[in-house]
Amino acid sequence: PSDTVQQVADMISSADRITVFTGAGMSAESGIATFRSGDDGLWGRFDPMMLASVDGWEADPHLVWGWYAWRIGQLRDVVPNAGHRALADLAQHKVVDVVTQNVDDLHERAGSTVVSHLHGSLTATRCSVCRAPYDGPVARPYHEQIDGDDLDSLRLAPPTCARCGGDVRPGVVWFGEMLPEREWASAVDSFDACDLVLVVGTSGIVYPAAGLPDRAAGRGVPIIEVNPDESALSGLATHSIRSTAASALPLLARVIDG
Ligand code: APR
């Protein structure tokens, strides 16, 4: 292994509490598109203000619901990748807190304990009026892939809340919305208690989430970045592994196991 990988493996071996901060790149090798990287980046194809903001929801709830119903349906087609599994294995020997910006459930399905879903979760669908959790069926608009930028065929009326009859909405945090307090507080606790941070698969440009690693860096905690490309957090990283989650994380685990 490269000396960076060896050094990072040694740092992981001697750490007591590791906070892993993940973004969309963590799930890329499971087949879930990222937002701003690669040629299938979602915000390169669609307008986030239309699909991931309160205004977009209020302007066209059928389009927004159809889009999330498609993404909720996609969860049935994807599985955790070797990177998710390596993080879950690491937690057998260390305290590993996962703080994720992702709304998929792949960390949990790999066996990780996710201490914080900063941007909510596709599995937390709720009523947009009384906030009651919705665990009814989520019909998937007929569409294997979203061709080009044709979203019209995704339109679907959201289910109605059994309790109050309100429209059901995705359990994710939209641009302009506050992050859930409990998720934020446990993320802050994790970054304030750890002695090593792994930053995996995030462009590091969406705040307040992107500001969390700085809390640990401010305490002199080493920040390791795993990302094939530079990111806005590369400047904070003490070591960068320019590789993907599904190849770098298992490699680190193998080097640690010697
Ligand atoms: N392994 C590791 N990193 C990868 C991989 C991979 N296989 N593929 C891509 N990446 C990196 C990209 O280089 C990029 O830096 O993952 C990052 C993905 O960045 P974004 O698409 O911006 O995703 P993210 O940082 O999670 O976005 C943050 O923005 O739209 C909002 O709420 C949404 O949580 C999301 C937030």
Side-chain angles (χ1 to χ4, degrees):
S2 75
D3 54 356
T4 303
V5 166
Q6 186 59 59
Q7 277 168 17
V8 169
D10 294 345
M11 292 164 82
I12 293 174
S13 293
S14 50
D16 293 322
R17 285 198 63 158
I18 302 171
T19 296
V20 187
F21 182 56
T22 66
M26 183 76 230
S27 300
E29 287 153 292
S30 295
I32 297 180
T34 62
F35 295 100
R36 301 174 185 82
S37 72
D39 50 12
D40 64 343
L42 294 173
W43 300 151
R45 294 171 56 197
F46 309 117
D47 175 4
M49 290 308 128
M50 239 171 75
L51 298 177
S53 77
V54 176
D55 292 347
W57 165 254
E58 285 168 358
D60 194 341
H62 289 199
L63 174 65
V64 175
W65 174 256
W67 158 253
Y68 280 96
W70 186 84
R71 291 181 65 199
I72 291 168
Q74 184 186 39
L75 289 184
R76 301 176 209 137
D77 309 339
V78 299
V79 294
N81 61 56
H84 294 106
R85 295 197 301 273
L87 290 179
D89 294 345
L90 183 62
Q92 310 298 323
H93 322 288
K94 301 266 163 197
V95 174
V96 177
D97 288 348
V98 173
V99 172
T100 188
Q101 301 168 89
N102 298 340
V103 292
D104 63 57
D105 58 350
L106 295 179
H107 279 304
E108 291 89 342
R109 286 165 54 191
S112 282
T113 304
V114 174
V115 297
S116 173
H117 261 284
L118 290 168
H119 296 159
S121 170
L122 289 171
T123 62
T125 305
R126 68 168 188 270
C127 176
S128 64
V129 177
C130 74
R131 303 179 70 85
Y134 172 78
D135 48 16
V138 171
R140 181 177 185 173
Y142 172 68
H143 232 296
E144 287 319 303
Q145 287 301 332
I146 302 176
D147 317 323
D149 55 3
D150 158 32
L151 286 172
D152 278 343
S153 53
L154 292 181
R155 268 197 174 71
L156 204 59
T160 51
C161 170
R163 223 175 69 175
C164 80
D167 276 350
V168 154
R169 63 158 280 176
V172 303
V173 178
W174 281 325
F175 286 108
E177 289 190 307
M178 297 288 289
L179 271 59
E181 268 173 41
R182 224 160 33 84
E183 304 291 332
W184 178 257
S186 49
V188 166
D189 290 348
S190 181
F191 275 94
D192 286 355
C194 68
D195 56 359
L196 184 65
V197 172
L198 300 184
V199 176
V200 184
T202 182
S203 56
I205 61 171
V206 174
Y207 282 80
L212 284 166
D214 213 19
R215 296 184 71 98
R219 291 190 295 111
V221 169
I223 311 286
I224 313 295
E225 179 177 47
V226 174
N227 191 328
D229 300 323
E230 289 257 318
S231 79
L233 294 174
S234 297
L236 210 52
T238 45
H239 299 71
S240 287
I241 300 178
R242 289 280 165 258
S243 173
T244 70
S247 45
L249 296 172
L251 172 63
L252 287 167
R254 275 199 303 280
V255 173
I256 291 168
D257 292 344

